[in-house]
Amino acid sequence: MFKSNVFPVTDIAIGGGTEQIVRGGRHLFHQLPQGFSGMKQIGVIGWGSQGPAHAQNLRDSFMGTDMKVVVGLQADSPSCVRARVGGFSEADGTLGEMYSVIGSSDLVIVHISDAAQAELYKQIFAALKPGATIGFSHGFILKHLQNVGGSFPTNHNVIMVAPKGMGPSVRRLYVQGKDVNGAGINSSFAVANDVDGRATDIALAWSVGIGSPYTFLTTMESEVHSDLLGERGVLLGGVWAIVEVEFRRQCYEEGRDPRDAFVYAVESLTGPISQILSKEGLFGLYKSICEQGDQDEFDAAYTIAYKASAPILAEIYGEVSSGNEVRSVILAGERLKTTPMSVIGDTPMWRAGIHVRAHRSDMIPMNGHLAGMYAGMMMAQIDLLVAKGHPWSEVANESVIEATDSLNPFMHARGISYMVDNCSRTARLGARRWGPIFEKALECGFGSTEKPTDYALMEQFMKHPIHEALAMCSGLRPSVSIAIE
Amino acid sequence: MFKSNVFPVTDIAIGGGTEQIVRGGRHLFHQLPQGFSGMKQIGVIGWGSQGPAHAQNLRDSFMGTDMKVVVGLQADSPSCVRARVGGFSEADGTLGEMYSVIGSSDLVIVHISDAAQAELYKQIFAALKPGATIGFSHGFILKHLQNVGGSFPTNHNVIMVAPKGMGPSVRRLYVQGKDVNGAGINSSFAVANDVDGRATDIALAWSVGIGSPYTFLTTMESEVHSDLLGERGVLLGGVWAIVEVEFRRQCYEEGRDPRDAFVYAVESLTGPISQILSKEGLFGLYKSICEQGDQDEFDAAYTIAYKASAPILAEIYGEVSSGNEVRSVILAGERLKTTPMSVIGDTPMWRAGIHVRAHRSDMIPMNGHLAGMYAGMMMAQIDLLVAKGHPWSEVANESVIEATDSLNPFMHARGISYMVDNCSRTARLGARRWGPIFEKALECGFGSTEKPTDYALMEQFMKHPIHEALAMCSGLRPSVSIAIE
């Protein structure tokens, strides 16, 4: 439960209960100074995946106010050039050395990499000016502090605003949706420390300012568990596995040539399946598969994918919540100084995709088997997150909406690496670790001698509260599809 | 450096230096009472992978002495039945309740699962009788103690004897090699705590007693790092990946039907490739591939497999040495109470294998491409272990000899699950986690646009000190091939 002195809080009925949200929109931008309660300078530290989106969106949203955004980077960081291209400069005081920006900002938004946060958090906390608020865009740092026995500063507000989509989508939808009030990526927010009663309104102003169509409450712990699970699961690692397995099935069981197989595996998923999921949710997808006569195929694939994915998702959740996965990411930091991350898109399958995209037709088939697999894995993830007590808004965004509205458009535009490698390093490492494990489990599931459709499972699918939740979420955002060249 | 008052210590020239070893053999069994320095009762706790082998081998080796082996199990353990079949019984005092056996034994050999050790170590340490020695068969417990801030008892000898092969092999080779003096599985030993100067001789007696052809010195930390790396790497996870990738290549690039493809992928590896590796090492394998005219194929596959595997092996080593992998195994214990481990052998490929084995011919081809992949991954693991400072005997055993002498015969007899799932739970979990990651890396490596043979890498291969080390190891054990029906 939360209250705002600035933004209207709405109750929504979702998952059989109610959740509080704040709807966003450009009509609220004039209230940002009030939400930020007199702050003059927002420091955005780092220029990676989320940094540019938050810095540019907030700057644009502040137009006509006396608030400014200053980007802080390590001296000599190669990102300085990119920040200048993004419209920030030393000359007008909107680009500066990281610790100097931290020391002069009223709100410090930390967007350096997870590994860098783990390395530098003590210095960053120490550099805050009295009364300043510190903000994070996901809960990674909390898990790291738990692992090493560290803690947040007790004399500063500590907040989080976590967009449910990668940074480039947060920026693109803000720009592309300029004329459609409320277009953007949903965000969750959390207050880890509220020293002066302002923390909630500051977080809400930040979220409204970056263009979130709606903002819901979570905790940093709930956020990081669902975020790391989601990206390791169906959003990145899992979907990668699904299209690889389906591509092979199309080639070797359906006898298609690689380009045709690519259309039935990848294009079908990033095209019509994602579109209908985005607009009509999982039930809409199911209805449309049934209408084209492929219900049996869907059910069989759903059953296998659900059962193959559920144990892996449970394993990932355990690794994440125990802090192990965060430890792995920190360890990788050292390794990556000498060994680059593996290349994932240079295989015959993804090379076939280059040709397919170059000669793309509007008639992309809706593959019922593929849709069943995808829905089965999504639902396994949804059931796990619900069982672990995550808010329904978080469940819906981390399992479905982030896929369709933020991530899949990147795979559609340029393939697997363009989607995965536009995400955070934590996500990139996680997808590389868990994607192949999902792939093997799906392969074993589909290759197994036992694979009857589980009609009780399908019954659960049809009655699932997620359908109502997705319909609710659809109603809360205008349907601006992200366009990626 | 170590000294023994009982067994002859030999210097061997290996890897450009020397290592001390103790050669085993049945002619030393009469010295076991002296090695165990007056002990009367050896308690073997647990009846899993290694437990039966140590209990039965030691019991048989003690024939004609006044020493006895008593097996200790949790009351009502389902293993009691199997221990009775193995020749231990409550009636003659050779089977009893675990803590009662711990409290009455002079040497307590802990063979309960890694997860159970983590749960019960305090009670076990507390139950030791004064002056008793406690022994482990690998270093897992050390990593767990490091993770949780625990420690070994300071007033007891703490030793380790770690056979470089799964328990069933330790028993089979002991039985099958009865008439060939010295047949068995090599072991490493370590002394973590020596309170009375007897620790080294007790460990050596234990190793000689279970039939180790030779025993070399390590530390518990070095052992657990190399053991967990090895089984996650080329011994289980890696070799599984190799045969899966090669099977697909045989089907889809070479156009073979599944049974034929199985022969070229699995049979070739577990048959002629393993045999020549066991007798003539990596260089012998290379020579024989060159003789059949497949050098280019070998070199190209070696290059790709080496480069695809090295970063994953480095990642695994980091996860193991940081304690993360051990934390994962402990976490899994909870999960496995409700979710069984995944089934890995029920796919079209492994089902084809059932037919192949039922109609096996003696003419199994030696596949040069497959041999190159296998050698490339082995060498990446060897180079990593050498760089991390492991003794050459440990490197050779954990990367090559354990594969050929202990593990691959199980895959040859009944497929992947029969090999992997006869190992410890720690190994089974590790193979399931890392196998698919190797598979994906190999798939990307072989599917990549860039894959020229790296001649500098081949030059290194040809001059590598491992060839001499493997020749030395071959000379130290008689060539009894394990027979598995």
Side-chain angles (χ1 to χ4, degrees):
Chain A
M1 296 285 290
F2 67 94
K3 285 185 183 175
S4 171
N5 301 313
V6 181
F7 304 100
V9 178
T10 310
D11 281 344
I12 59 169
I14 190 167
T18 58
E19 285 177 10
Q20 294 179 300
I21 62 159
V22 167
R23 300 193 65 165
R26 288 170 184 266
H27 64 288
L28 296 172
F29 288 176
H30 72 279
Q31 287 181 276
L32 294 180
Q34 197 187 340
F36 282 114
S37 63
M39 290 177 166
K40 291 285 170 273
Q41 178 177 317
I42 312 293
V44 174
I45 311 303
W47 193 268
S49 172
Q50 292 286 345
H54 289 234
Q56 292 174 305
N57 289 11
L58 285 174
R59 177 198 61 197
D60 296 351
S61 299
F62 288 159
M63 204 82 76
T65 75
D66 63 348
M67 297 188 63
K68 75 167 174 176
V69 174
V70 182
V71 172
L73 297 173
Q74 288 188 307
D76 302 328
S77 161
S79 296
C80 290
V81 178
R82 289 184 286 138
R84 282 185 212 111
V85 173
F88 297 87
S89 72
E90 291 89 342
D92 67 5
T94 56
L95 177 60
E97 190 279 327
M98 160 173 171
Y99 289 103
S100 130
V101 174
I102 293 172
S104 60
S105 296
D106 303 301
L107 167 62
V108 174
I109 299 179
V110 180
H111 277 316
I112 55 177
S113 74
D114 294 329
Q117 289 181 37
E119 199 180 325
L120 304 175
Y121 72 90
K122 283 185 190 162
Q123 292 93 304
I124 293 172
F125 293 167
L128 293 170
K129 76 172 184 182
T133 294
I134 185 162
F136 297 89
S137 68
H138 82 133
F140 185 94
I141 187 66
L142 176 75
K143 296 305 287 184
H144 179 67
L145 292 175
Q146 289 173 352
N147 282 346
V148 300
S151 58
F152 286 126
T154 52
N155 49 343
H156 293 275
N157 293 328
V158 180
I159 60 178
M160 178 195 78
V161 169
K164 303 288 97 183
M166 59 161 98
S169 300
V170 173
R171 179 61 181 163
R172 271 167 211 267
L173 272 178
Y174 182 95
V175 173
Q176 293 172 6
K178 208 155 36 186
D179 304 324
V180 185
N181 194 25
I185 297 286
N186 298 324
S187 295
S188 61
F189 86 99
V191 173
N193 199 21
D194 187 358
V195 295
D196 56 14
R198 300 182 307 152
T200 296
D201 278 327
I202 296 170
L204 291 171
W206 170 10
S207 187
V208 168
I210 58 171
S212 311
Y214 88 90
T215 305
F216 59 92
L217 180 66
T218 187
T219 63
M220 284 182 81
E221 180 144 65
S222 178
E223 195 283 334
V224 67
H225 291 178
S226 58
D227 184 65
L228 268 65
L229 175 79
E231 68 199 18
R232 279 151 180 72
V234 79
L235 298 180
L236 297 177
V239 75
W240 178 25
I242 285 171
V243 296
E244 295 270 355
V245 168
E246 182 63 13
F247 178 81
R248 281 208 290 275
R249 197 182 76 89
Q250 290 292 335
C251 287
Y252 307 129
E253 290 180 32
E254 304 289 331
R256 297 192 204 278
D257 68 43
R259 295 183 194 183
D260 241 22
F262 189 88
V263 170
Y264 278 83
V266 181
E267 293 280 290
S268 182
L269 188 139
T270 58
I273 291 175
S274 289
Q275 277 159 29
I276 198 161
L277 268 176
S278 174
K279 297 196 177 100
E280 300 170 38
L282 280 158
F283 202 74
L285 175 66
Y286 189 55
K287 271 204 313 199
S288 113
I289 296 294
C290 293
E291 272 159 28
Q292 73 179 34
D294 292 334
Q295 182 175 10
D296 289 349
E297 257 193 312
F298 182 100
D299 289 358
Y302 180 99
T303 300
I304 291 172
Y306 186 102
K307 293 183 177 184
S309 308
I312 301 170
L313 290 162
E315 181 174 352
I316 299 173
Y317 200 94
E319 293 290 307
V320 168
S321 56
S322 70
N324 253 14
E325 198 72 16
V326 165
R327 282 187 204 97
S328 289
V329 171
I330 302 290
L331 267 178
E334 212 32 58
R335 206 174 54 241
L336 291 172
K337 287 178 187 164
T338 53
T339 315
M341 230 183 270
S342 60
V343 173
I344 58 174
D346 179 29
T347 61
M349 163 175 168
W350 295 103
R351 287 200 294 275
I354 297 171
H355 293 274
V356 170
R357 288 191 293 271
H359 306 94
R360 189 174 263 158
S361 93
D362 287 339
M363 296 295 296
I364 302 176
M366 180 103 101
N367 175 346
H369 184 269
L370 177 70
M373 254 204 281
Y374 197 31
M377 190 186 285
M378 277 185 169
M379 199 59 94
Q381 182 168 313
I382 288 164
D383 282 344
L384 175 66
L385 287 172
V386 170
K388 296 288 182 184
H390 292 266
W392 280 89
S393 288
E394 196 162 58
V395 174
N397 276 282
E398 286 290 356
S399 304
V400 183
I401 302 171
E402 181 162 350
T404 59
D405 288 24
S406 166
L407 294 166
N408 291 349
F410 283 77
M411 180 159 47
H412 195 65
R414 295 200 216 157
I416 186 68
S417 172
Y418 195 56
M419 175 175 75
V420 171
D421 293 328
N422 255 305
C423 296
S424 70
R425 184 195 270 185
T426 301
R428 297 171 65 202
L429 287 166
R432 280 168 171 79
R433 172 167 295 180
W434 295 98
I437 296 175
F438 280 107
E439 189 177 330
K440 175 56 74 181
L442 290 172
E443 188 201 314
C444 289
F446 284 100
S448 156
T449 38
E450 280 192 43
K451 41 189 166 187
T453 292
D454 183 336
Y455 292 102
L457 191 68
M458 297 316 301
E459 186 82 15
Q460 279 169 35
F461 168 76
M462 283 184 277
K463 293 182 178 163
H464 205 287
I466 192 69
H467 303 309
E468 205 195 348
L470 287 171
M472 171 60 73
C473 294
S474 280
L476 291 170
R477 65 190 200 283
S479 63
V480 175
S481 293
I482 195 169
I484 300 165
E485 59 291 339
Chain B
M1 295 285 290
F2 66 95
K3 285 187 182 174
S4 170
N5 300 313
V6 181
F7 303 102
V9 179
T10 310
D11 281 343
I12 58 169
I14 191 166
T18 58
E19 286 176 11
Q20 292 180 300
I21 61 159
V22 167
R23 300 193 66 165
R26 288 170 183 263
H27 63 288
L28 297 171
F29 288 175
H30 73 279
Q31 286 181 278
L32 294 178
Q34 196 188 342
F36 282 114
S37 64
M39 292 176 165
K40 291 284 169 273
Q41 178 176 320
I42 311 293
V44 174
I45 311 303
W47 193 268
S49 173
Q50 292 287 345
H54 290 234
Q56 293 174 307
N57 290 10
L58 285 175
R59 178 199 59 199
D60 296 351
S61 299
F62 288 159
M63 204 82 76
T65 75
D66 62 348
M67 296 188 65
K68 76 168 172 176
V69 174
V70 182
V71 171
L73 297 173
Q74 288 188 306
D76 302 328
S77 161
S79 296
C80 289
V81 178
R82 288 184 288 139
R84 282 184 212 111
V85 173
F88 298 87
S89 73
E90 291 90 341
D92 67 4
T94 56
L95 176 61
E97 190 278 327
M98 161 173 168
Y99 289 104
S100 130
V101 174
I102 293 172
S104 60
S105 296
D106 303 300
L107 166 63
V108 173
I109 299 179
V110 180
H111 278 315
I112 55 176
S113 74
D114 293 329
Q117 289 181 36
E119 200 180 323
L120 304 175
Y121 72 91
K122 282 185 191 162
Q123 293 93 304
I124 294 173
F125 293 167
L128 292 170
K129 76 172 184 182
T133 294
I134 185 163
F136 297 89
S137 68
H138 82 133
F140 186 94
I141 187 67
L142 176 76
K143 296 306 287 185
H144 179 68
L145 293 175
Q146 290 172 352
N147 281 346
V148 300
S151 58
F152 286 126
T154 52
N155 50 343
H156 293 274
N157 293 329
V158 180
I159 60 177
M160 178 194 77
V161 169
K164 303 288 99 184
M166 57 162 99
S169 300
V170 173
R171 179 61 182 163
R172 270 169 212 267
L173 272 178
Y174 182 92
V175 173
Q176 292 173 6
K178 211 157 32 188
D179 306 322
V180 186
N181 194 26
I185 297 286
N186 298 325
S187 295
S188 61
F189 85 99
V191 173
N193 199 21
D194 188 358
V195 295
D196 56 14
R198 299 183 307 153
T200 296
D201 278 327
I202 296 170
L204 291 171
W206 170 9
S207 187
V208 168
I210 59 171
S212 310
Y214 88 90
T215 305
F216 59 91
L217 180 67
T218 186
T219 63
M220 283 183 83
E221 180 145 66
S222 179
E223 196 283 334
V224 67
H225 290 178
S226 58
D227 183 65
L228 268 66
L229 175 79
E231 67 200 18
R232 280 150 179 74
V234 78
L235 299 181
L236 296 177
V239 75
W240 178 25
I242 284 171
V243 295
E244 295 271 355
V245 168
E246 181 63 12
F247 177 81
R248 282 209 290 276
R249 197 182 75 89
Q250 290 292 334
C251 287
Y252 307 130
E253 289 179 34
E254 304 289 330
R256 297 192 204 277
D257 67 43
R259 295 183 194 182
D260 241 22
F262 189 88
V263 170
Y264 278 83
V266 182
E267 293 280 290
S268 182
L269 187 139
T270 58
I273 291 175
S274 289
Q275 277 159 29
I276 198 163
L277 268 175
S278 174
K279 297 195 178 99
E280 299 170 38
L282 281 157
F283 202 74
L285 175 66
Y286 189 54
K287 270 203 315 196
S288 114
I289 296 293
C290 293
E291 273 161 26
Q292 73 179 35
D294 293 334
Q295 181 174 12
D296 289 349
E297 258 193 311
F298 182 100
D299 289 357
Y302 180 99
T303 300
I304 292 172
Y306 186 103
K307 293 182 176 183
S309 309
I312 301 170
L313 290 162
E315 181 174 353
I316 299 173
Y317 200 94
E319 293 290 306
V320 168
S321 56
S322 70
N324 253 14
E325 199 71 16
V326 164
R327 281 188 205 96
S328 290
V329 170
I330 302 289
L331 267 178
E334 211 36 57
R335 206 171 59 240
L336 291 172
K337 287 178 188 166
T338 54
T339 315
M341 229 182 271
S342 61
V343 172
I344 57 173
D346 179 28
T347 61
M349 164 176 167
W350 294 103
R351 287 200 294 275
I354 297 171
H355 292 275
V356 169
R357 288 191 294 270
H359 306 95
R360 189 173 264 156
S361 93
D362 287 339
M363 295 296 295
I364 302 176
M366 179 104 100
N367 175 345
H369 183 269
L370 177 70
M373 256 204 280
Y374 197 31
M377 189 185 284
M378 278 185 168
M379 199 60 93
Q381 182 168 313
I382 288 164
D383 281 343
L384 175 65
L385 287 172
V386 169
K388 296 290 182 182
H390 290 266
W392 280 90
S393 287
E394 196 163 59
V395 174
N397 275 282
E398 287 291 357
S399 304
V400 182
I401 302 171
E402 181 162 350
T404 58
D405 288 25
S406 166
L407 295 166
N408 291 349
F410 283 77
M411 179 159 48
H412 195 65
R414 296 200 215 158
I416 186 68
S417 172
Y418 195 56
M419 175 176 74
V420 171
D421 293 328
N422 255 304
C423 296
S424 71
R425 184 196 269 183
T426 301
R428 297 171 64 201
L429 287 166
R432 280 169 172 78
R433 172 167 295 179
W434 295 97
I437 297 175
F438 280 108
E439 189 177 330
K440 175 59 75 182
L442 290 172
E443 188 200 315
C444 289
F446 284 100
S448 156
T449 39
E450 280 192 42
K451 42 188 166 188
T453 292
D454 183 336
Y455 291 101
L457 191 67
M458 298 315 302
E459 185 82 13
Q460 279 170 34
F461 168 77
M462 283 184 278
K463 293 182 178 163
H464 206 287
I466 192 67
H467 304 309
E468 204 195 347
L470 288 171
M472 170 61 73
C473 294
S474 280
L476 291 169
R477 64 189 200 283
S479 62
V480 175
S481 294
I482 195 169
I484 300 166
E485 58 291 342

